[in-house]
Amino acid sequence: MTDQPSAPQSPQFGSVAEVSERLAGVGYLASTAVATTVFLADRLGKPLLVEGPAGVGKTELAKAIAEATGSGLVRLQCYEGIDEARALYEWNHAKQLLRITAGKDRETWDETRDDVFSEEFLLPRPLLIAIRRTEPTVLLVDEIDKADVEVEGLLLEVLSDFQVTVPELGTIRAARRPIVVLTSNSTRELSEALKRRCLFLHLDFPDAELERRIVATRVPELAESLVEALVRTVRVLRGLELRKSPSVAETIDWARTLLALGLDTLDDDAVRATLGVVLKHQSDAVKAATELRLN
């Protein structure tokens, strides 16, 4: 623990152009808007809230920032019902009970209590792990919209002062502030208090040209004409009212599938045989087959 204010992490990027270059170096092709927002989040030391539909690359952006900067990635995956014990810390109750039993009749309760609520019995979870790291760190709070509002309240202390309070141990302040990326699929409205602490970035599916570049970068062996046909087909699928539109990652998976099968054209037979790579619901597959007029 430290009583000193947490020190900001040294800026990792020198310019917007450098952000684009270094993210591209790890396989993430960022638009100017994305590169600019990442640069500002890094330079200003502000958390970055990334919203958008599932599958547009929000989580991948955080991973790419960590890889591009040589930072450790600490991920808090949110879900309905997640609580402080899973997000911040909890006590190792089994070990505490063994310690209490071992000290019975040999020491006072005050002595036992001071011991069982010490560092040895603390189980840090992602938020506390990120706060305590002294190495460059990216903290990813993934799908924050799935967590209850109480977890947002917990995050406010972390994002405001980069510190957490453990009543039995006191306040633990970050020795080095992490880069913080929060993602949201917009399944519920986040609190204004949380939003005020963050820079905001909305990600949508890339335009056709950017998606072609992404696929060509990730699957360079695939013929340019096949990449063109693949991206065009994916965009048609996204225009349908599907339960789950194909993500960018699924576009890449489809490209790798075509390559693995040795296909050189995306005809009806190829689409029909491989559609399960990008559509994971039978109702979506039926609708797509109808709209694409697959026999």
Side-chain angles (χ1 to χ4, degrees):
M1 290 184 294
T2 176
D3 292 328
Q4 299 300 317
S6 59
Q9 182 161 287
S10 300
Q12 301 291 309
F13 302 103
S15 65
V16 173
E18 184 183 333
V19 174
S20 297
E21 180 181 347
R22 290 172 65 182
L23 290 181
V26 297
Y28 192 99
L29 301 184
S31 67
T32 301
V34 170
T36 301
T37 309
V38 170
F39 171 76
L40 291 174
D42 173 55
R43 184 54 57 98
L44 300 176
K46 298 272 287 184
L48 174 58
L49 172 60
V50 188
E51 284 191 346
V56 297
K58 303 183 296 295
T59 300
E60 290 304 312
L61 175 59
K63 292 179 178 179
I65 293 171
E67 187 175 355
T69 59
S71 300
L73 179 69
V74 178
R75 180 175 182 173
L76 172 61
Q77 179 63 55
C78 297
Y79 52 87
E80 186 177 352
I82 190 173
D83 58 12
E84 181 176 324
R86 294 300 176 186
L88 186 54
Y89 73 92
E90 61 183 324
W91 293 102
N92 189 332
H93 299 301
K95 190 174 180 180
Q96 285 177 320
L97 183 58
L98 288 173
R99 172 64 182 83
I100 292 170
T101 302
K104 189 176 182 180
D105 301 327
R106 292 196 300 106
E107 58 188 13
T108 66
W109 166 242
D110 287 341
E111 292 173 328
T112 303
R113 181 189 56 202
D114 290 343
D115 194 18
V116 297
F117 286 108
S118 64
E119 189 70 37
E120 180 183 353
F121 299 87
L122 187 69
L123 296 175
R125 299 309 184 196
L127 293 181
L128 183 56
I129 290 171
I131 285 292
R132 303 179 86 173
R133 280 177 57 89
T134 56
E135 303 85 0
T137 302
V138 172
L139 170 60
L140 167 60
V141 182
D142 215 3
E143 298 184 302
I144 179 60
D145 53 318
K146 289 186 177 180
D148 298 330
V149 292
E150 289 78 7
V151 175
E152 283 191 43
L154 174 66
L155 280 171
L156 294 181
E157 180 183 15
V158 176
L159 299 183
S160 295
D161 304 313
F162 288 91
Q163 66 180 34
V164 296
T165 300
V166 180
E168 297 84 356
L169 298 179
T171 299
I172 302 173
R173 296 181 176 86
R176 180 174 188 161
R177 294 188 184 187
I179 296 174
V180 181
V181 179
L182 303 93
T183 73
S184 169
N185 294 334
S186 302
T187 59
R188 71 170 176 86
E189 188 70 22
L190 301 178
S191 70
E192 291 301 321
L194 181 65
K195 289 182 176 181
R196 280 197 304 272
R197 288 160 173 78
C198 303
L199 295 183
F200 177 79
L201 174 66
H202 179 80
L203 277 187
D204 210 334
F205 291 109
D207 60 30
E209 175 57 30
L210 179 55
E211 192 156 18
R212 281 193 293 269
R213 289 173 54 208
I214 292 171
V215 174
T217 298
R218 295 296 186 92
V219 195
E221 304 89 348
L222 199 65
E224 183 177 342
S225 60
L226 200 49
V227 172
E228 177 77 28
L230 180 66
V231 170
R232 186 169 57 248
T233 303
V234 167
R235 293 181 68 80
V236 171
L237 294 175
R238 289 188 186 135
L240 306 178
E241 293 184 0
L242 303 177
R243 288 181 61 185
K244 170 65 171 62
S245 292
S247 67
V248 177
E250 286 164 335
T251 304
I252 295 169
D253 286 343
W254 205 2
R256 289 171 175 158
T257 298
L258 299 178
L259 185 65
L261 293 174
L263 299 176
D264 55 11
T265 182
L266 194 64
D267 56 17
D268 287 357
D269 289 339
V271 173
R272 188 184 308 105
T274 60
L275 198 57
V277 175
V278 289
L279 299 183
K280 309 302 171 62
H281 298 280
Q282 179 60 18
S283 59
D284 287 348
V286 170
K287 179 178 289 189
T290 301
E291 294 294 332
L292 296 175
R293 293 182 172 84
L294 302 177
N295 297 324

